[in-house]
Amino acid sequence: MNKENKFSIIIEARMNSSRLPGKVLMKIKNLPVIIIMIKRLLKSKLSNEIIVATSLNKKDNILVKVLKKKKIKFFRGSEKNVLKRVIDTCDFYSVNYIVKICGDSPLIDPRIVDDMIAFYKRSKIDYLSNNLKLNYPEGMDVEILSLNVLKKSYQLSKSKKNKEHVTYFIKKSKF
């Protein structure tokens, strides 16, 4: 598949959460939350791969160990600059279209992902989100955008908010 048509699910996940540290490896019915999430996302028919974007913090070593054991793609990058981590993940894996999902959404619905990818492809738009308005229950958030748009937002805004919240600038601006 050529890079132009490749839609990669990028899951932002780390162990050092301020609200609930270690949540991505907490277990439900003996499975880590991140694995439950990935198993659900593997049912997507329109995405091409799943990559976990985690940090270089040593607390994430245990997450990486689980991902390696399960043969799940991952990339380690900046802990504080999540935007750069996602961009670096995409550059490393030659991703052109990002299906961005937060690592604390274990019950994400792969049908929503597929519906949104299909709409994105038809619409020829730069950015698609189902969380600009409260249309879906919490934990069903999906955002789709091109790597070019993400890189442009990084060039235009180096604010702390944009580094922490990957699509903050895109949502707030009209570029």
Side-chain angles (χ1 to χ4, degrees), residues 6 12 20 29 31 43 53 59 66 75 93 95 106 109-110 123 130 138 143 151 154 156 172 174-175:
K6 184 173 152 183
E12 302 163 1
L20 184 57
K29 289 199 159 197
L31 280 176
K43 294 177 182 174
K59 290 181 180 180
V66 169
F75 182 86
Y93 284 102
V95 172
D109 188 336
S123 301
N130 69 352
E138 195 66 44
E143 295 175 275
K151 284 182 174 181
Y154 188 60
L156 294 172
K172 300 295 180 194
K174 295 179 182 176
F175 78 95

Side-chain angles (χ1 to χ4, degrees), residues 82-112:
V82 185
L83 175 55
K84 182 159 178 14
R85 183 187 337 150
V86 171
I87 289 171
D88 290 348
T89 300
C90 292
D91 285 340
F92 185 82
Y93 284 102
S94 299
V95 172
N96 198 32
Y97 291 100
I98 303 154
V99 180
K100 185 182 120 19
I101 300 176
C102 290
D104 55 2
S105 302
L107 302 179
I108 189 73
D109 188 336
R111 293 170 298 186
I112 293 172

Side-chain angles (χ1 to χ4, degrees), residues 124-150:
K124 306 284 188 222
I125 54 179
D126 290 326
Y127 173 74
L128 177 64
S129 173
N130 69 352
N131 67 11
L132 295 174
K133 294 181 183 176
L134 293 176
N135 298 336
Y136 289 86
E138 195 66 44
M140 296 294 149
D141 296 352
V142 178
E143 295 175 275
I144 302 175
L145 65 158
S146 72
L147 178 57
N148 290 337
V149 167
L150 199 59

Side-chain angles (χ1 to χ4, degrees), residues 4-127:
E4 290 176 15
N5 300 320
K6 184 173 152 183
F7 283 78
S8 302
I9 295 173
I10 308 290
I11 301 170
E12 302 163 1
R14 62 189 179 95
M15 295 295 291
N16 204 18
S17 165
S18 56
R19 291 181 304 230
L20 184 57
K23 65 184 167 190
V24 295
L25 289 183
M26 288 182 174
K27 294 190 176 176
I28 300 172
K29 289 199 159 197
N30 241 7
L31 280 176
V33 166
I34 192 80
I35 300 304
I36 293 168
M37 184 178 179
I38 291 168
K39 283 183 171 214
R40 292 180 63 80
L41 289 168
L42 283 169
K43 294 177 182 174
S44 165
K45 293 174 176 69
L46 298 180
S47 66
N48 303 99
E49 64 187 343
I50 298 170
I51 306 164
V52 177
T54 193
S55 86
L56 292 165
N57 186 314
K58 66 182 179 184
K59 290 181 180 180
D60 288 321
N61 290 350
I62 189 165
L63 171 59
V64 168
K65 185 176 178 183
V66 169
L67 297 172
K68 281 181 178 178
K69 183 178 177 186
K70 297 288 188 180
K71 295 182 171 76
I72 297 165
K73 292 180 181 179
F74 67 91
F75 182 86
R76 298 186 83 170
S78 174
E79 180 179 22
K80 301 289 184 204
N81 191 338
V82 185
L83 175 55
K84 182 159 178 14
R85 183 187 337 150
V86 171
I87 289 171
D88 290 348
T89 300
C90 292
D91 285 340
F92 185 82
Y93 284 102
S94 299
V95 172
N96 198 32
Y97 291 100
I98 303 154
V99 180
K100 185 182 120 19
I101 300 176
C102 290
D104 55 2
S105 302
L107 302 179
I108 189 73
D109 188 336
R111 293 170 298 186
I112 293 172
V113 171
D114 284 347
D115 288 347
M116 289 183 65
I117 291 172
F119 183 84
Y120 185 91
K121 285 179 175 181
R122 281 191 316 270
S123 301
K124 306 284 188 222
I125 54 179
D126 290 326
Y127 173 74

